[in-house]
Amino acid sequence: MAATIASTTSRNAWRDELRDTLALAWPLILSNLTMAVIQATDVVLMGWLGARPLAASALGINLVFAFSLVCLGLVTASSPMMATALGAKLRSVREVRRTFRQSLWMILTVMVPIWLILWHSEPIILSLGQEPALAHDAQTFIHGYMWSMGPFLLFQAMRNFVSALERPGWVLAISLIGILFNALLGYGLIFGHFGLPALGILGGGLASSIVWTLLAMMLGLVILTDGQFRRYHVFGRFWRADWPRYRKLWKIGFPIGLAMGFEGGVFSAAAFLMGLINAESVAAHAVALQIAALSFMVPWGLSQAATVRVGLFLGRRDPIGITRAGWTAWVLGVGFMALMAILIWSIPRELITLFLEDTPENATVIGLGVSFLAIAAVFQVADGAQVVGAGMLRGLHDTRVPMLFTFVGYWAIGIGIGAWLAFSQGWNGQGIWTGLAIGLAIVAVLMVWRWTRRDNLGLTRFR
């Protein structure tokens, strides 16, 4: 009888965790998807300009993206710290406010030097072996797009705050508005509609900067006016230094930033390696990567939910809850990506032609994109496993060793094998994507291995 009751209680606990994880994750997933759709809209609009503007903007986006991911990792450190404080409930309002405030200080610390670098991006792109004309156009795009980084990071910091309070619905609502804003403003500034100037490739970048500024302002207004958020006074006494918390954020966030930079940077590096082949390969890579990125938004949202849920149970000193929270998110993420692998494998051409018109002029790019998606379908499951695994470990404040995993898997192995296959074995773009798939699989195995050994490694000792 006692065993039956214990079994029923266990099943109920897993069911409750599934419900709570989905309740937290689905707005995060949808807001991730809306952010990906905003970028996908940029890709579509640049595709309407032509294959070469698409290639140039892809080079620009990938350069900015590499910096953005490192900075996003720094800001991400605030999520498990706030969740753990809320789980412990000891002076949680003050602790959450301290963490949020110093995450804004981190954004200010990194933005000015990065903006200076991006303003002079053409020599960087040229040094990576790209065509001079593409490098010049990429810098033109960046001059409009680079200003989106500051408000984007501010939006993510505020998103971490509302997600730690398990109220991410506001993020979803505001992100949906961003899709419409970006489509209309991008269309107007690129092609000169709605009384706006026709700025071409510069207009596409500038539209994104304007849209992210508006979204950050909207979410900030919600935090200032909503009763549950307002009581934390997260913007109060912004000027007040808190060096111990600032250093702790860097200690946790810098490895996350490097890990995310290694992961996203390898795709950026792949784009520049494609540029050493030809412009058509860059354009095809941009489209195929955008499709893969859209499916990635789901396990990424589950990863963010896992970080919060694991962090909450860490604060509550509940090892069984930690186990349930981690594995629930992991199974959901891997299961979804398995379904996406089947979809991408089944209709690759149809997916590519959502972004590019099926015309003779685009035939080469479409053919390359289809071949890249065949490989992308294979690594979908590994991509889901590694990103949710990383989120689970971040909930335990474990960031340094996972950062090393990403460096070894993506750069020492993934990009190394990809470059070798592409240029020594004549596989070209397919070789680069094969290397990416191998790197993702290795990182996924390492992340899951570390999670299964979390108790032996001392990762669950309570703070």
Side-chain angles (χ1 to χ4, degrees):
M1 182 67 176
T4 302
I5 294 173
S7 176
T8 302
T9 301
S10 178
R11 286 197 301 270
N12 289 342
W14 281 96
R15 184 188 62 206
D16 292 344
E17 182 58 40
L18 175 63
R19 183 195 62 224
D20 292 341
T21 297
L22 289 174
L24 176 59
W26 76 262
L28 294 173
I29 291 168
L30 291 179
S31 64
N32 286 344
L33 284 169
T34 58
M35 288 188 288
V37 170
I38 289 173
Q39 187 166 316
T41 302
D42 295 335
V43 173
V44 171
L45 293 173
M46 290 302 170
W48 290 354
L49 273 180
R52 290 190 68 83
L54 174 58
S57 64
L59 293 177
I61 286 174
N62 277 282
L63 182 60
V64 177
F65 186 58
F67 285 104
S68 295
L69 278 179
V70 174
C71 297
L72 181 59
L74 295 173
V75 175
T76 298
S78 65
S79 181
M81 290 176 64
M82 287 188 286
T84 301
L86 290 166
K89 296 182 179 179
L90 179 64
R91 296 180 298 179
S92 61
V93 170
R94 178 175 179 270
E95 292 300 306
V96 167
R97 181 169 59 246
R98 288 178 64 196
T99 298
F100 180 84
R101 181 188 299 148
Q102 293 312 301
S103 70
L104 301 188
W105 278 49
M106 291 176 72
I107 293 171
L108 291 177
T109 302
V110 299
M111 278 319 308
V112 173
I114 289 176
W115 275 331
L116 287 174
I117 293 171
L118 291 176
W119 187 259
H120 302 284
S121 55
E122 184 173 353
I124 300 173
I125 298 172
L126 284 172
S127 70
L128 296 172
Q130 306 305 304
E131 296 178 25
L134 281 180
H136 176 75
D137 288 346
Q139 178 174 269
T140 299
F141 176 83
I142 288 173
H143 282 173
Y145 188 74
M146 57 184 275
W147 310 109
S148 66
M149 274 192 65
F152 169 76
L153 293 173
L154 174 59
F155 185 89
Q156 299 309 314
M158 292 186 288
R159 167 182 158 141
N160 289 342
F161 167 64
V162 300
S163 298
L165 293 173
E166 299 189 87
R167 288 191 58 197
W170 278 110
V171 178
L172 171 60
I174 293 171
S175 299
L176 288 171
I177 295 172
I179 295 177
L180 180 61
F181 279 3
N182 191 67
L184 293 176
L185 192 59
Y187 184 66
L189 287 174
I190 291 172
F191 300 104
H193 296 292
F194 315 125
L196 298 171
L199 300 179
I201 194 170
L202 174 65
L206 189 60
S208 294
S209 294
I210 294 171
V211 167
W212 277 113
T213 300
L214 292 173
L215 296 185
M217 292 172 63
M218 292 169 66
L219 187 53
L221 183 62
V222 168
I223 290 173
L224 288 171
T225 56
D226 183 279
Q228 183 178 354
F229 301 144
R230 189 174 62 243
R231 74 187 187 93
Y232 286 85
H233 302 288
V234 291
F235 295 109
R237 298 183 180 179
F238 171 77
W239 60 88
R240 184 176 180 179
D242 188 348
W243 299 118
R245 185 56 51 97
Y246 182 78
R247 286 192 295 269
K248 186 174 182 180
L249 276 166
W250 273 96
K251 181 180 179 180
I252 295 175
F254 189 62
I256 298 176
L258 288 181
M260 295 180 72
F262 290 149
E263 179 182 358
V266 79
F267 288 99
S268 298
F272 287 103
L273 288 175
M274 293 290 181
L276 300 178
I277 302 171
N278 51 47
E280 290 78 10
S281 293
V282 179
H285 174 78
V287 174
L289 184 59
Q290 194 61 61
I291 293 168
L294 286 170
S295 64
F296 177 77
M297 294 301 106
V298 174
W300 188 24
L302 288 163
S303 173
Q304 293 162 329
T307 296
V308 172
R309 296 293 300 165
V310 170
L312 285 170
F313 284 114
L314 184 68
R316 295 171 187 169
R317 300 174 176 264
D318 183 350
I320 297 176
I322 290 172
T323 299
R324 283 197 302 265
W327 284 123
T328 297
W330 192 86
V331 170
L332 288 171
V334 172
F336 173 83
M337 291 301 265
L339 295 176
M340 288 305 301
I342 296 171
L343 176 66
I344 291 174
W345 184 271
S346 302
I347 54 170
R349 187 177 185 86
E350 289 79 359
L351 293 172
I352 292 290
T353 51
L354 291 174
F355 293 82
L356 286 169
E357 288 187 80
D358 195 355
T359 62
E361 294 80 9
N362 291 331
T364 300
V365 176
I366 291 172
L368 288 169
V370 168
S371 68
F372 297 163
L373 279 187
I375 302 168
V378 175
F379 73 55
Q380 289 292 290
V381 174
D383 207 8
Q386 67 83 21
V387 72
V388 181
M392 292 149 62
L393 292 171
R394 286 169 194 157
L396 300 175
H397 301 197
D398 180 39
T399 60
R400 292 185 181 181
V401 173
M403 177 266 292
L404 295 175
F405 289 165
T406 60
F407 175 76
V408 172
Y410 298 139
W411 288 91
I413 298 175
I415 206 68
I417 291 176
W420 176 71
L421 290 173
F423 301 108
S424 295
Q425 302 302 305
W427 288 28
N428 294 324
Q430 290 92 334
I432 294 170
W433 274 74
T434 300
L436 296 176
I438 293 171
L440 285 167
I442 289 171
V443 173
V445 170
L446 291 172
M447 293 292 187
V448 174
W449 170 82
R450 187 163 176 83
W451 170 259
T452 59
R453 290 183 52 80
R454 61 191 179 278
D455 293 331
N456 293 335
L457 296 171
L459 301 181
T460 53
R461 60 179 179 272
F462 299 110
R463 291 156 175 80

